[in-house]
């Protein structure tokens, strides 16, 4: 039995399409009918003859189609969030529930689906008891595909289009009612260098200094403009970078020279802290002084709306 693909569009500020995929394994419970339950399992008003409008699911989780699981959220009351993707080569965890996978156009991925409570992985690709996974929309549009590798469920490909997606994986464990889910965000940027596991940081740095700082740039060499929150995520999730750089009295002149060299038209960038103080998490940035004196100062974006370049550390965390 095969599923028919379905999709939900989600807009998150960028050109976004929600990427959703699922694999289904035959369960021990039998079908109670496609309108026997509401999404969260209630069957009080779901008679076979005249089901209520909210009766859009099968009470047996495994008997729901992709459209029912992904569009209607069928039996979400029994979903278990215990899946992760690991890099197929290194074994490092690449995707965890409710986290962001950051990729850059041109970056390749090869991830295997695991159960956090078992080893080596879910046997979801066993043809003797599972159907082919269904995907909506086609991840191939972004360069990514779901593949069967031996007895493993893998996510492979080369990211090719900039986008921000909400992704969700759901499959049945084969036991009565056992539905497992992995929701996460997928961000594919057009910036220079790869993001996430398998990529490498790229950007503008001072050629005459070995100091571990750089301003990430896009494929044309222009600084990437992001919010403060996205700057923190980018610097911490992009391989080759480690964290959003802190500023101190000791590195102020160096960072100021980096900004004036790599982002001269903007003359400001995000930083994580000043002299060890994060100012309760408020967005901090360094910028040419506005009081008429020479040099750069540290300022706070009280509107939480600014977008600007960021300074990432390129060496050990500071």
């Amino acid at each position: 039995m095969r599923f028919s693909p379905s999709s939900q569009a989600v807009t998150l500020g960028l050109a976004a399409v929600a990427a959703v995929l699922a694999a289904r394994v035959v369960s021990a419970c039998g079908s109670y009918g496609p309108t026997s339950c509401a999404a969260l399992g209630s069957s009080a008003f779901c008679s076979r003859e005249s089901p209520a409008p909210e009766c859009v699911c099968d009470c047996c989780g495994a008997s729901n189609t992709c459209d029912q699981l992904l569009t209607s959220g069928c039996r979400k009351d029994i979903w278990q969030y215990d899946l992760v993707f690991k890099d197929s080569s290194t074994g490092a965890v690449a995707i965890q529930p409710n986290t962001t996978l950051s990729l850059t156009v041109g970056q390749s991925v090869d991830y295997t689906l695991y159960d956090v409570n078992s080893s080596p992985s879910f046997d979801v690709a066993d043809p003797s008891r599972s159907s082919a996974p269904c995907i909506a929309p086609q991840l191939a549009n972004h360069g990514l595909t779901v593949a069967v590798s031996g007895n493993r469920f893998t996510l492979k490909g080369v990211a090719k289009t900039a986008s921000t997606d909400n992704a969700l994986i759901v499959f049945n464990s084969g036991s009565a009612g056992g539905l497992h889910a992995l929701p996460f965000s997928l961000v594919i940027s057009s910036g220079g260098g790869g993001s996430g596991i398998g990529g490498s940081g790229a950007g503008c740095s001072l050629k005459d200094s070995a100091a571990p700082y750089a301003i990430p740039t896009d494929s044309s060499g222009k600084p990437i403009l992001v919010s403060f929150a996205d700057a923190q995520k980018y610097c911490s999730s992009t391989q080759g970078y480690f964290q959003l750089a802190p500023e101190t009295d000791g590195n102020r002149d160096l960072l100021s020279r980096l900004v004036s060299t790599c982002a001269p038209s903007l003359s400001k960038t995000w930083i994580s802290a000043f002299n060890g103080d994060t100012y309760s998490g408020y967005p901090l940035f360094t910028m040419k002084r506005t009081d008429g004196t020479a040099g750069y100062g540290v300022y706070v974006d009280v509107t939480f709306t600014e977008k600007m370049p960021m300074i990432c550390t390129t060496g050990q965390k500071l």
Side-chain angles (χ1 to χ4, degrees), residues 53-98:
E54 62 267 28
C55 300
V56 294
C57 302
D58 195 308
C59 285
C60 178
S63 295
N64 288 285
T65 64
C66 274
D67 185 62
Q68 289 173 301
L69 286 172
L70 303 174
T71 302
S72 301
C74 286
R75 297 314 315 270
K76 197 169 184 179
D77 55 308
I78 59 171
W79 290 10
Q80 300 174 53
Y81 300 93
D82 54 3
L83 304 179
V84 298
F85 266 111
K86 293 184 179 181
D87 186 280
S88 300
S89 298
T90 66
V93 175
I95 307 173
Q96 300 182 63
N98 299 309

Side-chain angles (χ1 to χ4, degrees), residues 101-158:
L101 172 64
S102 297
L103 304 174
T104 299
V105 173
Q107 181 182 340
S108 62
V109 298
D110 185 352
Y111 301 146
T112 300
L113 184 67
Y114 279 73
D115 176 354
V116 296
N117 300 312
S118 70
S119 180
S121 72
F122 273 120
D123 195 19
V124 297
D126 183 347
S128 68
R129 61 185 187 88
S130 67
S131 65
C134 59
I135 309 168
Q138 291 298 318
L139 291 180
N141 294 336
H142 303 293
L144 305 178
T145 60
V146 175
V148 173
S149 177
N151 68 337
R152 298 189 179 186
F153 183 88
T154 60
L155 180 65
K156 297 184 178 183
V158 178

